[in-house]
């Protein structure tokens, strides 16, 4: 258990509303990632962070923003949710001295945008 | 373009049989990862392959990496029902990120 929690675990929201998902780690790892998982697409990287206040875009970042004000927390915000953002969202962290020695995944958040 | 392709996408096999899942990737890398995902669950790290010729084994699963061919294999020996899951490979192309394949859904039939 890599000490990763995500909240909420499930959420239903309406189109146009803002949504924030939280990833919390207790391991003090430097790197944190947000992915979305959709059938037929595997996991796709949305944003990642390589330190406090240091973030960068992934391959599907449009419509999403992130913030990391503390080592342990990485927030993903959907500024104005759309139905295409209905998905399962996973947070991951990387351990070890090298950034990608391994990745541990959180339990996921199921988001439904109506 | 950085791409990772897995095949087959779906695999149904009988208990006791052997089979191999293939993971091809588009450009140079010597760091490849295998994960397992059970339905409705998160991803679990299975293997980390960090050099050409690397081979890792855990129980009935064995993973290998051929960086020259840009190919990794996940071999299943004498399959049992508990191995039913979706298996993902992911590649580090040296850009501090992982690129995932689309996954192989494995079903073991008694």
């Amino acid at each position: 258990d890599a000490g990763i929690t995500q909240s909420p675990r499930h959420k239903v929201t309406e189109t146009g509303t803002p949504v924030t998902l939280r990833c919390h780690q207790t391991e003090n790892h430097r790197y944190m990632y947000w992915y979305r998982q959709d059938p037929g697409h595997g996991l796709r990287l949305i944003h990642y962070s390589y330190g406090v206040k240091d973030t960068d875009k992934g391959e599907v970042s449009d419509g999403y923003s992130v913030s990391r004000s503390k080592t342990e927390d990485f927030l993903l915000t959907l500024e104005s949710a759309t139905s295409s953002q209905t998905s399962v969202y996973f947070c991951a962290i990387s351990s070890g001295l090298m950034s990608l020695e391994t990745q541990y995944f959180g339990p996921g958040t199921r988001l439904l945008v109506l | 373009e950085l791409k990772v392709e897995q095949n087959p996408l779906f695999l149904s096999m009988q208990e006791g049989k052997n089979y191999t899942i293939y993971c091809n990737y588009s450009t140079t890398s010597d760091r490849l990862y295998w994960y397992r995902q059970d339905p409705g669950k998160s991803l679990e790290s299975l293997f980390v392959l960090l050099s050409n010729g690397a081979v890792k084994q855990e129980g009935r699963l064995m993973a290998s990496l051929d960086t020259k061919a840009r190919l990794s294999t996940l071999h299943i020996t004498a399959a049992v029902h508990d191995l039913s899951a979706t298996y993902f490979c992911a590649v580090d192309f040296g850009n501090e990120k992982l690129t995932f394949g689309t996954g192989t859904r494995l079903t073991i039939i008694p």
Side-chain angles (χ1 to χ4, degrees), chain A residues 16-35:
Chain A
T17 60
V19 176
T20 295
L21 308 182
R22 179 182 184 236
C23 177
H24 179 78
Q25 60 146 331
T26 59
E27 306 295 320
N28 203 36
H29 292 309
R30 179 182 175 191
Y31 287 81
M32 300 183 75
Y33 307 82
W34 275 109
Y35 294 90

Side-chain angles (χ1 to χ4, degrees), chain B residues 26-84:
Chain B
S26 59
T27 191
T28 302
S29 172
D30 58 2
R31 302 175 76 169
L32 189 140
Y33 305 76
W34 283 97
Y35 293 89
R36 167 183 172 145
Q37 185 179 36
D38 293 307
K41 303 294 185 181
S42 185
L43 280 77
E44 172 191 355
S45 178
L46 289 176
F47 299 111
V48 179
L49 303 170
L50 299 178
S51 62
N52 185 40
V55 177
K56 296 281 185 73
Q57 183 164 4
E58 180 73 32
R60 301 174 186 275
L61 300 178
M62 183 175 71
S64 65
L65 178 62
D66 181 345
T67 60
K68 294 179 181 177
R70 300 176 190 165
L71 171 69
S72 179
T73 60
L74 180 64
H75 187 73
I76 303 150
T77 301
V80 294
H81 180 70
D82 287 351
L83 291 179
S84 295

Side-chain angles (χ1 to χ4, degrees), chain A residues 84-105:
Chain A
S84 65
Q85 294 176 311
T86 291
S87 187
V88 180
Y89 291 85
F90 287 101
C91 174
I93 63 174
S94 59
S95 64
L97 294 178
M98 301 176 71
S99 67
L100 290 181
E101 191 64 28
T102 188
Q103 279 194 11
Y104 293 108
F105 284 80

Side-chain angles (χ1 to χ4, degrees), chain A residues 4-17:
Chain A
I4 310 170
T5 57
Q6 291 183 231
S7 59
R9 294 292 313 279
H10 301 86
K11 186 169 182 68
V12 180
T13 192
E14 294 186 345
T15 297
T17 60

